[in-house]
Amino acid sequence: MTGYVDRDERLLRSAFCIIVLFMLAEAVGGLIANSLTLIADAAHMLLDASALGIAWFASRLSRRDANERMSYGYHRSQVLAALVNGLTLVFLIAWILFEAVSRLRAAEPMLPAPVLVIGILGLAINIVVYRMLHGSQNLNVRSAALHVLGDLLGSVAAIAAAVLVLLFDWVYADPLLAVGIAAILSRGAWRVLRESSHILLQGAPTGLSVEEIRTTLVARVTGLRDIHRVHVWSLTSDRLVLTLHGRIVDGTDQQTAMAHIKSVLRDSFGVDHSTIQLERDVCPDN
C-alpha cells in the first residue's frame, strides 16, 4: 500500500510541476500575443494546477499524525486552500469578462501564430498529464485527472481562435472564446466555493441523510431503542465525522451495542470516525 501511495504522490507532484510551468508560459505568451483566450486558458490551468496541488498536498498531509494542538490533524487545510482558490478565480473571471466586453466593443489585433503554437503545446501537455494520472486506483488522483481533462477544452479554444484569425482575420474570435472559457471557469469556481464553504460550515455531507442513519441503526442494532443528537460533518470531502446519542434497552451490553453501531456506520455510510454516547434513561443533555 505504501508503494502505491508513494507512486500516486510522485504522479501528482510531476503533473503539478508540468501544469504550473506551462500555465506561466501560457500567461506570458497571452500577454505578448495580446490573446485574451490564452490568458483565460492560463486562468483555467490555474484551477487545474490548484486541484493538482491540493491533491498532492493532501497526499503528503495524510501521513501526518494528529497532535495536541490539531486533534483532527491537518486535513482541513486543503479545504481552506480550495476556498482561497475559488475566491481568486472569481476575480480572474471578472477581469476576463471585463476585458472581453471591452474587446468586443473595440477589437484589438492578435498575433495568431504564437497563440496557435502555444495552444498546440498546451493540448499535447494536457494529454500527457492526463495519461500520467489516468488509470490510478486512488480517488484523489482520479479526481485531479478529471480537472486536467477539462483543461483540454481551453487548449482547443486557443487553437480555434488562432485558426479563425489566421484564415478569416476575425479578431472577435479571441474575446468570444475567452467568454466561453470564463463560463467554464465560473462553473468550476462555483462548485469549489460551494463545497468548501459547506465543509467549513460543518454541513451534512451531500447524499448522507441523518434520518436514514437513524432508521438504519435502530433497525439493525439489537437493543438500540432510538438515537438522537445526531451530528455528521466532513473534515474534507472524503473524511466523515459523526457524533450521536443512543438509548439502549435494559440488559443490553453497551460495548457490544457500540461496536455494532460503529460497524454499521462504517460499512453502510462510510463513517470511520464516530463518537457515541449510550444511555439507558433520559438523556442528561436534554
Side-chain angles (χ1 to χ4, degrees):
M1 180 64 70
T2 303
Y4 285 110
V5 172
D6 292 341
R7 177 180 177 275
D8 288 336
E9 189 174 315
R10 287 195 302 270
L11 286 174
L12 289 168
R13 180 184 60 199
S14 300
F16 173 75
C17 292
I18 293 171
I19 292 294
V20 166
L21 288 174
F22 189 77
M23 177 194 71
L24 295 174
E26 193 172 39
V28 172
L31 291 173
I32 293 173
N34 197 31
S35 170
L36 191 58
T37 301
L38 274 185
I39 297 173
D41 189 44
H44 194 185
M45 293 191 80
L46 175 63
L47 175 62
D48 296 337
S50 299
L52 288 165
I54 290 170
W56 176 28
F57 182 63
S59 181
R60 290 181 61 85
L61 206 59
S62 64
R63 296 183 297 178
R64 296 185 62 177
D65 296 328
N67 53 49
E68 291 185 1
R69 288 177 57 84
M70 305 292 289
S71 60
Y72 276 119
Y74 295 85
H75 304 290
R76 188 60 70 84
S77 57
Q78 63 180 296
V79 183
L80 288 173
L83 180 64
V84 172
N85 174 42
L87 292 172
T88 303
L89 281 170
V90 170
F91 288 104
L92 282 171
I93 291 165
W95 178 81
I96 291 169
L97 291 175
F98 176 80
E99 281 293 314
V101 171
S102 299
R103 295 191 184 197
L104 287 171
R105 289 177 176 174
E108 296 184 13
M110 183 192 80
L111 300 176
V115 175
L116 181 60
V117 171
I118 293 174
I120 292 173
L121 286 174
L123 183 62
I125 286 174
N126 279 302
I127 290 173
V128 169
V129 173
Y130 178 73
R131 286 179 63 87
M132 285 170 53
L133 301 177
H134 181 65
S136 172
Q137 299 302 311
N138 186 295
L139 180 61
N140 201 22
V141 178
R142 294 206 308 271
S143 63
L146 290 176
H147 280 272
V148 176
L149 184 62
D151 194 54
L152 291 171
L153 182 60
S155 297
V156 172
I159 294 170
V163 170
L164 287 171
V165 173
L166 273 172
L167 296 180
F168 307 107
D169 198 28
W170 191 42
V171 293
Y172 292 107
D174 183 53
L176 286 174
L177 288 169
V179 170
I181 296 176
I184 297 170
L185 276 172
S186 299
R187 181 181 178 186
W190 167 247
R191 185 172 61 250
V192 168
L193 288 173
R194 183 187 60 194
E195 292 180 1
S196 58
S197 299
H198 188 74
I199 291 174
L200 291 173
L201 290 172
Q202 295 187 320
T206 304
L208 197 61
S209 166
V210 172
E211 183 58 34
E212 184 182 357
I213 291 173
R214 180 181 290 110
T215 303
T216 302
L217 287 176
V218 172
R220 293 177 56 180
V221 178
T222 304
L224 183 63
R225 183 184 303 172
D226 66 73
I227 65 170
H228 49 281
R229 289 189 174 272
V230 182
H231 301 284
V232 57
W233 67 99
S234 306
L235 286 180
T236 65
S237 58
D238 59 350
R239 291 178 178 270
L240 307 183
V241 180
L242 180 144
T243 64
L244 64 82
H245 289 205
R247 187 179 305 165
I248 56 177
V249 300
D250 291 337
T252 302
D253 181 71
Q254 283 192 342
Q255 288 299 113
T256 301
M258 186 176 297
H260 197 178
I261 290 172
K262 285 182 173 288
S263 175
V264 173
L265 290 173
R266 182 177 59 253
D267 298 339
S268 299
F269 301 101
V271 178
D272 291 320
H273 188 103
S274 57
T275 302
I276 300 167
Q277 177 175 316
L278 295 180
E279 305 143 353
R280 297 186 186 277
D281 300 314
V282 178
C283 176
D285 291 332
N286 285 341

